[in-house]
């Protein structure tokens, strides 16, 4: 078995050059050979800009063909790919560039002035631009390069990517993923989900996260399947594309939004063989409604940035609503006591820990954090609470860390609270996730003010330039006093219960 994604992609391009890799919105198709050649041009451009194996290539750009191919080009030259959410503000980008010290930053053409200044200040040596229309110095530079390019012979333990994931302290941590992590998980998923060269995957996910970048893309490459690439999730465009695909992957919001479309029918998806959901809990209610409407049981799986995919419901057999299925082949899962770390008997609720070739190498330049979460035995402490039933199905029943998942994006309350508490007039704040009919959870800030004139508008304005839109609270509630326990700790549970129906009533 190949131990890295790029050599597999290269093999595909050699053995089935004309096989479709990307079906695009304008009706054109890029074959494996054409995509491979483009990665050669981009790789040559990166090399010409001085990028060496192990160097980081950071990217914040809209989804598109060249955006996706920069990932493969980065693997090709042994660089470390560092994709960043397109919603991040310059203030957030500053942290990532300073922390990861990339050799090259690829950013949106329209951010030229701001990013040029930031890179000059932080000493990022090289920049390229990539606009939403695909134009910019990346395309111009790559067009001028030859397609033949060498491929760096990556060792499975070499870094392939760093994906930042926020922490409960509010400080983002770069999860270091190796070529071996990516290749092993993709091979397992392609097999488990029965991907073949005749599959076409509907791809409406962003490509700066594990789900859209690795689960969707790597699995496709390993099986030699094709991707129907959409720039983002747009229900109308997804409905149009569905008759031409065989598999769809999405976060639960994709599926609840499709169910609210009358045109989403059994007949429309007659050709689809598999719907996969993950990144956030899929409610049993959505699972059942989907089955009634389409005849399909959505296959729910569970993963993390640090581990790729850990568990999956079976391809054949019961796909149990509310469960994330079985540990994937080659991956061990244990439930432990969150306090002592001792393994608990089957049926108990405790900390989910996982071990296998999928588990990352550690956090970028944070050896202590790595030691706290990655045991010497190789088990990674996920921070998710769960249980395994008598048949071996895993369920996630809660989270040990304070985390909100909104439309599949993670928001760490600590990060938002730190900014809120720094606003003049705020005494203290608590950021909580409340049930939201579209996004699963919605972000809400509960603020205790020390200045009676403090308004919602002033808070919103103070956060605007600092935080990505998806992390900003959708509602700001004021309380004269935040509820506390005898130790003085804010009781978020009480707040969540008190305001539980806030978004549900708005959308009723
Ligand atoms: C957009 N907005 C959001 C979100 N997305 N706010 C909160 N949470 C979000 N997820 C903001 C927009 O900036 C906009 O702000 C407003 O919400 C309304 O946007 P709307 O048009 O409704 O949203 P959208 O553009 O349609 O996006 C919703 C979405 C998108 C399609 C659900 O967020 C999405 O594609 N999510 C997928 C995330 C994902 O791939 N996660 C995988 C992580 P305003 O109008 O007010 O300016 S990987 C992972 O978790 C692990 C490893 C795993 O297991 O997969
Ligand atoms: P991330 O930090 O983006 O890697 O998010 C990973 C987290 O998403 C996990 O630790 C879980 O809390 C959550 N998650 C992923 N898939 C599922 C799922 N199918 N059900 C419930 N939670 C999930």
């Amino acid at each position: 078995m190949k131990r890295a994604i790029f050599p597999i992609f290269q093999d595909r391009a050699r053995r089935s050059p004309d096989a479709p890799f990307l079906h695009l919105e304008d009706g054109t198709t890029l074959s494996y050979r054409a995509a491979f050649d483009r990665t050669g041009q981009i790789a040559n451009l990166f090399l010409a800009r001085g990028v060496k194996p192990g160097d980081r290539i950071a990217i914040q750009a809209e989804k598109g063909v060249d955006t996706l191919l920069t990932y493969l080009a980065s693997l090709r030259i042994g660089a470390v790919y560092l994709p960043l959410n397109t919603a991040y503000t310059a203030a957030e980008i500053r942290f990532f560039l300073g922390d990861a010290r990339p050799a090259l930053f690829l950013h949106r053409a329209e951010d030229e002035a701001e990013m040029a200044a930031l890179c000059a200040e932080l000493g990022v040596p090289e920049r390229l631009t990539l606009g939403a229309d695909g134009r910019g110095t990346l395309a111009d530079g790559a067009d001028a390069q030859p397609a033949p390019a060498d491929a760096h012979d990556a060792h499975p333990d070499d870094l392939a990517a760093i994906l930042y994931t926020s922490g409960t302290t509010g400080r983002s941590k770069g999860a270091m993923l190796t070529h071996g992590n990516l290749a092993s998980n993709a091979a397992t998923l392609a097999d488990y989900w029965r991907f073949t060269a005749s599959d076409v995957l509907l791809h409406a996910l962003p490509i700066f996260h594990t789900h859209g970048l690795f689960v969707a893309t790597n699995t496709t490459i390993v099986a030699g399947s094709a991707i129907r690439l959409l720039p983002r999730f747009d229900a109308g465009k997804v409905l149009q594309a569905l008759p031409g695909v065989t598999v769809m992957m999405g976060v639960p919001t994709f599926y609840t939004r499709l169910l609210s479309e009358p045109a989403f029918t059994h007949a429309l998806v007659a050709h689809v063989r598999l719907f996969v959901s993950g990144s956030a809990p899929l409610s049993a209610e959505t699972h059942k409604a989907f089955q009634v409407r389409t005849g399909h049981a959505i296959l729910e799986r569970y993963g993390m940035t640090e581990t790729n995919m850990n568990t999956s419901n079976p391809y054949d057999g019961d796909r149990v609503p509310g469960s994330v299925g079985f540990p994937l082949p080659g991956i061990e899962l244990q439930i432990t006591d969150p306090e002592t770390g001792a393994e608990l008997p089957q049926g108990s609720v405790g900390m989910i820990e996982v071990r296998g070739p999928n588990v990352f190498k550690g956090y970028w330049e944070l050896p202590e954090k790595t030691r706290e979460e990655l045991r010497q035995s190789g088990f990674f402490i996920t921070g998710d609470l769960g249980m395994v039933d008598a048949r071996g199905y895993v369920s996630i029943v809660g989270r040990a860390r304070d985390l909100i998942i909104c439309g599949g994006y993670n928001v760490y309350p600590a990060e938002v609270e730190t900014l809120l508490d720094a606003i003049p007039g705020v005494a203290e704040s608590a950021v909580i996730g409340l049930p939201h009919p579209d996004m699963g959870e919605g972000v809400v800030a509960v603020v205790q003010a020390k200045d009676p004139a403090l308004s919602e508008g002033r808070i919103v304005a103070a956060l605007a330039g600092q935080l990505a839109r998806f992390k900003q609270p959708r509602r700001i509630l004021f309380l004269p006093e935040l509820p506390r326990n005898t130790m003085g700790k804010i009781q978020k549970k009480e707040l969540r219960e008190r305001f539980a129906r806030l978004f549900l009533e708005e959308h009723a």
Side-chain angles (χ1 to χ4, degrees), residues 367-414:
E368 273 186 31
K369 265 277 153 212
T370 303
R371 273 194 296 276
E372 274 169 31
E373 298 184 26
L374 190 56
R375 293 186 193 286
Q376 287 247 294
S377 62
F379 272 100
F380 175 66
I381 306 167
T382 62
D384 292 311
L385 300 174
M387 64 162 286
V388 183
D389 76 7
R391 291 200 292 165
Y393 282 87
V394 179
S395 299
I396 299 173
V397 298
R399 295 174 203 136
R401 69 216 137 114
D402 194 11
L403 160 69
I404 301 168
I405 305 185
C406 188
Y409 286 155
N410 292 4
V411 179
Y412 279 84

Side-chain angles (χ1 to χ4, degrees), residues 162-165 173-177 209-210 214 303-309 358 360 380 410:
I162 295 180
L163 266 62
Y164 275 83
T165 158
K173 303 167 288 181
M176 301 190 287
L177 280 318
H209 277 312
T210 297
F214 300 147
M304 289 188 80
T305 302
E306 289 90 335
T307 62
N308 288 279
M309 299 303 101
N358 56 317
F360 76 144
F380 175 66
N410 292 4

Side-chain angles (χ1 to χ4, degrees), residues 33 244 297 301 396 490:
R33 177 77 219 186
R301 63 29 168 210
I396 299 173
I490 297 172

Side-chain angles (χ1 to χ4, degrees), residues 3-64:
R3 294 173 301 168
I5 293 295
F6 193 79
I8 301 173
F9 180 64
Q10 184 166 16
D11 265 11
R12 291 272 163 220
R14 285 205 180 123
R15 284 192 286 130
S16 325
D18 299 326
F21 179 46
L22 300 177
H23 295 296
L24 307 175
E25 267 205 305
D26 64 4
T28 59
T29 294
L30 207 67
S31 66
Y32 268 86
R33 177 77 219 186
F36 175 75
D37 286 347
R38 185 65 173 165
T39 67
Q41 290 184 302
I42 298 173
N44 280 324
L45 176 63
F46 289 161
L47 293 171
R49 292 298 191 100
V51 180
K52 295 185 293 302
D55 281 350
R56 277 75 58 211
I57 294 178
I59 169 165
Q60 185 189 38
E62 301 306 328
K63 187 176 176 185

Side-chain angles (χ1 to χ4, degrees), residues 59-65 67-68 86 108 110 130-132 207 231:
I59 169 165
Q60 185 189 38
E62 301 306 328
K63 187 176 176 185
V65 175
T67 320
L68 186 63
T86 48
R108 285 179 286 227
E110 56 271 31
L130 178 53
I207 49 174

